[in-house]
Coordinates of all heavy atoms in Angstrom, one line a residue:
T173 N -31.2 -15.1 17.4 CA -32.4 -15.6 17.0 C -32.6 -15.0 15.4 O -32.5 -13.8 15.3 CB -33.6 -15.1 17.8 OG1 -33.4 -15.6 19.1 CG2 -34.9 -15.5 17.2
V174 N -33.0 -15.9 14.6 CA -33.3 -15.5 13.2 C -34.9 -15.3 13.0 O -35.7 -16.2 13.5 CB -32.8 -16.3 12.1 CG1 -31.3 -16.1 12.1 CG2 -33.1 -17.7 12.3
V175 N -35.3 -14.2 12.4 CA -36.8 -14.0 12.1 C -36.9 -13.9 10.6 O -36.1 -13.1 10.0 CB -37.2 -12.7 12.8 CG1 -38.6 -12.4 12.5 CG2 -37.0 -12.8 14.3
R176 N -37.7 -14.6 10.1 CA -38.0 -14.8 8.6 C -39.3 -14.4 8.2 O -40.3 -15.1 8.1 CB -37.7 -16.2 8.3 CG -36.4 -16.8 8.6 CD -36.3 -18.3 8.5 NE -35.0 -18.9 8.9 CZ -34.7 -20.1 9.0 NH1 -35.7 -21.0 9.0 NH2 -33.5 -20.5 9.3
P177 N -39.5 -13.1 7.7 CA -40.8 -12.6 7.3 C -41.1 -13.1 5.8 O -40.1 -13.3 5.1 CB -40.6 -11.1 7.3 CG -39.2 -10.8 7.2 CD -38.4 -12.0 7.9
A178 N -42.3 -13.3 5.5 CA -42.8 -13.5 4.2 C -42.6 -12.2 3.3 O -42.0 -11.3 3.8 CB -44.2 -13.9 4.1
A179 N -43.1 -12.2 2.1 CA -42.8 -11.0 1.3 C -43.3 -9.7 1.9 O -44.6 -9.6 2.3 CB -43.6 -11.2 -0.1
L180 N -42.5 -8.8 2.0 CA -42.8 -7.6 2.8 C -43.8 -6.6 2.0 O -43.8 -6.6 0.8 CB -41.6 -6.8 3.2 CG -40.6 -7.4 4.2 CD1 -39.3 -6.6 4.2 CD2 -41.2 -7.7 5.5
A181 N -44.7 -6.0 3.0 CA -45.6 -5.0 2.3 C -45.7 -3.8 3.2 O -45.5 -4.0 4.3 CB -47.0 -5.7 2.0
G182 N -46.2 -2.7 2.6 CA -46.4 -1.5 3.6 C -45.6 -0.3 3.0 O -44.8 -0.4 2.0
P183 N -45.8 0.8 3.7 CA -45.2 2.1 3.3 C -43.7 2.0 3.1 O -43.0 1.5 4.0 CB -45.5 3.0 4.3 CG -46.8 2.5 4.9 CD -46.6 1.0 4.9
G184 N -43.1 2.4 2.0 CA -41.7 2.4 1.7 C -41.0 1.1 1.4 O -39.9 1.2 1.0
V185 N -41.8 0.0 1.2 CA -41.3 -1.3 0.8 C -41.1 -1.3 -0.7 O -42.1 -1.0 -1.4 CB -42.2 -2.4 1.3 CG1 -41.6 -3.7 0.8 CG2 -42.3 -2.5 2.8
D186 N -39.9 -1.6 -1.2 CA -39.6 -1.7 -2.6 C -38.7 -2.9 -2.7 O -37.5 -2.8 -2.5 CB -38.9 -0.4 -3.1 CG -38.5 -0.4 -4.5 OD1 -39.2 -1.2 -5.3 OD2 -37.5 0.3 -5.0
T187 N -39.2 -4.0 -3.3 CA -38.5 -5.2 -3.5 C -38.9 -5.7 -4.9 O -39.7 -5.3 -5.6 CB -38.9 -6.3 -2.5 OG1 -40.2 -6.6 -2.7 CG2 -38.7 -5.7 -1.1
A188 N -38.1 -6.8 -5.3 CA -38.4 -7.5 -6.5 C -39.8 -8.0 -6.6 O -40.4 -8.1 -7.5 CB -37.4 -8.6 -6.8
V189 N -40.3 -8.4 -5.3 CA -41.8 -8.9 -5.3 C -42.7 -7.9 -5.5 O -43.6 -8.0 -6.3 CB -41.9 -9.6 -3.9 CG1 -43.4 -10.0 -3.8 CG2 -41.1 -10.9 -3.9
T190 N -42.5 -6.7 -4.8 CA -43.6 -5.6 -5.0 C -43.5 -5.1 -6.5 O -44.5 -4.8 -7.0 CB -43.2 -4.5 -4.0 OG1 -42.0 -3.9 -4.2 CG2 -43.3 -4.9 -2.6
R191 N -42.3 -5.2 -7.0 CA -42.1 -4.7 -8.4 C -42.9 -5.6 -9.5 O -43.3 -5.2 -10.5 CB -40.8 -4.4 -8.9 CG -40.2 -3.2 -8.1 CD -38.9 -2.8 -8.9 NE -38.4 -1.6 -8.1 CZ -37.3 -1.0 -8.5 NH1 -36.7 -1.3 -9.7 NH2 -36.8 0.1 -7.8
H192 N -43.1 -6.8 -9.0 CA -43.9 -7.8 -9.9 C -45.3 -7.2 -10.1 O -45.9 -7.4 -11.2 CB -43.9 -9.1 -9.1 CG -44.9 -10.1 -9.8 ND1 -44.6 -10.7 -11.0 CD2 -46.0 -10.6 -9.3 CE1 -45.7 -11.6 -11.2 NE2 -46.5 -11.5 -10.3
F193 N -45.8 -6.5 -9.1 CA -47.2 -6.1 -9.2 C -47.3 -4.6 -9.7 O -48.4 -4.0 -9.9 CB -47.8 -6.0 -7.8 CG -48.0 -7.4 -7.1 CD1 -47.1 -7.9 -6.3 CD2 -49.0 -8.2 -7.6 CE1 -47.2 -9.1 -5.7 CE2 -49.2 -9.4 -7.1 CZ -48.2 -9.9 -6.1
E194 N -46.1 -4.1 -10.2 CA -46.0 -2.9 -11.0 C -46.3 -3.1 -12.4 O -46.4 -2.2 -13.3 CB -44.8 -2.0 -10.8 CG -44.6 -1.7 -9.4 CD -43.3 -0.9 -9.1 OE1 -42.7 -0.5 -10.2 OE2 -42.9 -0.7 -8.0
A195 N -46.1 -4.4 -13.0 CA -46.4 -4.7 -14.4 C -47.9 -4.5 -14.8 O -48.8 -4.9 -13.9 CB -45.9 -6.1 -14.6
P196 N -48.1 -4.3 -16.0 CA -49.5 -4.2 -16.5 C -50.2 -5.5 -16.4 O -51.4 -5.6 -16.2 CB -49.4 -3.7 -17.9 CG -48.1 -2.9 -17.9 CD -47.2 -3.6 -17.0
R197 N -49.5 -6.6 -16.7 CA -50.0 -7.9 -16.5 C -49.1 -8.7 -15.7 O -47.9 -8.5 -15.7 CB -50.3 -8.6 -17.9 CG -51.4 -7.8 -18.7 CD -51.5 -8.5 -20.1 NE -51.9 -9.8 -20.0 CZ -52.2 -10.6 -21.1 NH1 -51.8 -10.1 -22.3 NH2 -52.7 -11.8 -21.0
L198 N -49.6 -9.8 -15.0 CA -48.8 -10.5 -14.1 C -48.3 -11.9 -14.6 O -49.1 -12.7 -15.0 CB -49.5 -10.7 -12.7 CG -50.1 -9.5 -12.1 CD1 -50.9 -9.9 -10.8 CD2 -48.9 -8.6 -11.7
L199 N -47.0 -12.1 -14.6 CA -46.5 -13.3 -15.1 C -46.8 -14.6 -14.3 O -46.8 -14.5 -13.1 CB -44.9 -13.2 -15.2 CG -44.1 -14.5 -15.4 CD1 -44.4 -15.0 -16.9 CD2 -42.7 -14.2 -15.2
T200 N -47.2 -15.6 -14.9 CA -47.4 -17.0 -14.3 C -46.6 -17.9 -15.1 O -46.3 -17.8 -16.4 CB -48.8 -17.4 -14.1 OG1 -49.5 -17.5 -15.4 CG2 -49.6 -16.5 -13.4
V201 N -46.1 -19.0 -14.4 CA -45.3 -20.0 -15.0 C -46.2 -21.2 -15.3 O -46.9 -21.7 -14.4 CB -44.0 -20.4 -14.2 CG1 -43.3 -21.6 -14.7 CG2 -43.1 -19.2 -14.1
K202 N -46.1 -21.7 -16.5 CA -46.9 -22.9 -16.9 C -46.8 -24.1 -15.9 O -45.6 -24.5 -15.6 CB -46.6 -23.3 -18.3 CG -47.7 -24.3 -18.8 CD -47.4 -24.5 -20.4 CE -48.4 -25.5 -20.9 NZ -48.2 -25.8 -22.4
G203 N -47.9 -24.7 -15.5 CA -47.8 -25.8 -14.5 C -47.6 -25.6 -13.2 O -47.5 -26.6 -12.4
S204 N -47.5 -24.3 -12.7 CA -47.3 -24.0 -11.3 C -48.4 -23.1 -10.8 O -48.9 -22.2 -11.6 CB -45.9 -23.2 -11.1 OG -45.8 -22.9 -9.8
T205 N -48.8 -23.3 -9.5 CA -49.8 -22.4 -8.9 C -49.1 -21.8 -7.7 O -48.9 -22.4 -6.7 CB -51.0 -23.2 -8.5 OG1 -51.5 -24.0 -9.5 CG2 -52.1 -22.3 -7.8
P206 N -48.8 -20.5 -7.9 CA -48.1 -19.8 -6.7 C -49.2 -19.6 -5.6 O -50.4 -19.5 -5.8 CB -47.8 -18.4 -7.4 CG -48.7 -18.2 -8.5 CD -49.1 -19.6 -9.0
G207 N -48.6 -19.6 -4.4 CA -49.4 -19.2 -3.1 C -48.8 -17.9 -2.6 O -47.6 -17.9 -2.1
W208 N -49.6 -16.9 -2.6 CA -49.1 -15.6 -2.2 C -49.3 -15.3 -0.7 O -50.4 -15.3 -0.3 CB -49.7 -14.5 -3.0 CG -49.1 -14.5 -4.4 CD1 -49.7 -14.9 -5.5 CD2 -47.9 -13.8 -4.9 NE1 -49.0 -14.7 -6.7 CE2 -47.8 -14.0 -6.2 CE3 -46.9 -13.2 -4.2 CZ2 -46.7 -13.6 -7.0 CZ3 -45.9 -12.7 -4.9 CH2 -45.7 -12.9 -6.3
Q209 N -48.3 -15.1 0.0 CA -48.3 -14.8 1.4 C -47.4 -13.5 1.6 O -46.3 -13.4 1.1 CB -47.7 -15.9 2.2 CG -47.8 -15.6 3.8 CD -47.0 -16.6 4.6 OE1 -46.0 -17.2 4.3 NE2 -47.7 -17.0 5.8
F210 N -48.0 -12.6 2.4 CA -47.3 -11.3 2.7 C -47.1 -11.1 4.1 O -47.8 -11.7 5.0 CB -48.1 -10.1 2.1 CG -48.3 -10.3 0.5 CD1 -49.6 -10.8 0.0 CD2 -47.4 -10.0 -0.4 CE1 -49.8 -11.0 -1.2 CE2 -47.5 -10.1 -1.7 CZ -48.8 -10.6 -2.2
C211 N -46.2 -10.2 4.4 CA -46.0 -9.7 5.8 C -45.9 -8.3 5.9 O -45.0 -7.6 5.4 CB -44.7 -10.3 6.4 SG -44.3 -9.8 8.1
H212 N -46.9 -7.6 6.3 CA -47.1 -6.2 6.5 C -46.0 -5.8 7.6 O -45.8 -6.4 8.6 CB -48.4 -5.6 6.9 CG -48.6 -4.2 6.6 ND1 -48.1 -3.2 7.4 CD2 -49.3 -3.5 5.6 CE1 -48.4 -2.0 7.0 NE2 -49.1 -2.1 5.9
I213 N -45.3 -4.6 7.3 CA -44.2 -4.2 8.2 C -44.8 -3.8 9.6 O -44.1 -4.0 10.6 CB -43.4 -3.0 7.7 CG1 -44.2 -1.8 7.4 CG2 -42.7 -3.4 6.5 CD1 -43.5 -0.5 6.9
E214 N -46.1 -3.5 9.8 CA -46.6 -3.2 11.1 C -46.8 -4.7 11.8 O -46.5 -4.7 13.0 CB -48.0 -2.7 11.0 CG -48.0 -1.2 10.4 CD -49.4 -0.7 10.2 OE1 -50.4 -1.5 10.3 OE2 -49.5 0.6 10.0
D215 N -47.0 -5.7 11.1 CA -47.1 -7.0 11.9 C -45.7 -7.5 12.1 O -45.5 -8.2 13.0 CB -47.9 -8.0 10.9 CG -49.3 -7.8 10.8 OD1 -49.8 -7.4 11.8 OD2 -50.1 -8.0 9.8
L216 N -44.7 -7.2 11.2 CA -43.4 -7.6 11.4 C -42.9 -6.9 12.8 O -42.2 -7.5 13.7 CB -42.4 -7.3 10.3 CG -41.0 -7.5 10.5 CD1 -40.7 -9.0 10.9 CD2 -40.2 -7.2 9.2
A217 N -43.2 -5.6 12.9 CA -42.8 -4.9 14.1 C -43.4 -5.5 15.3 O -42.8 -5.8 16.4 CB -43.1 -3.4 14.1
A218 N -44.7 -5.8 15.3 CA -45.3 -6.4 16.5 C -44.8 -7.8 16.8 O -44.6 -8.2 18.0 CB -46.9 -6.6 16.0
A219 N -44.4 -8.6 15.7 CA -43.8 -9.9 15.9 C -42.5 -9.8 16.6 O -42.1 -10.6 17.5 CB -43.7 -10.6 14.6
L220 N -41.7 -8.8 16.2 CA -40.4 -8.6 16.7 C -40.5 -8.2 18.2 O -39.6 -8.5 19.1 CB -39.5 -7.6 16.0 CG -39.0 -8.1 14.6 CD1 -38.6 -6.9 13.7 CD2 -38.0 -9.1 14.8

Side-chain angles (χ1 to χ4, degrees):
T173 300
V174 292
V175 176
R176 302 167 178 166
L180 295 175
V185 175
D186 177 25
T187 67
V189 172
T190 63
R191 290 196 181 186
H192 172 71
F193 294 100
E194 295 180 14
R197 294 176 66 182
L198 304 180
L199 169 69
T200 61
V201 172
K202 189 174 182 179
S204 176
T205 302
W208 286 99
Q209 182 188 36
F210 302 98
C211 178
H212 196 285
I213 59 173
E214 292 176 351
D215 287 327
L216 177 55
L220 288 168

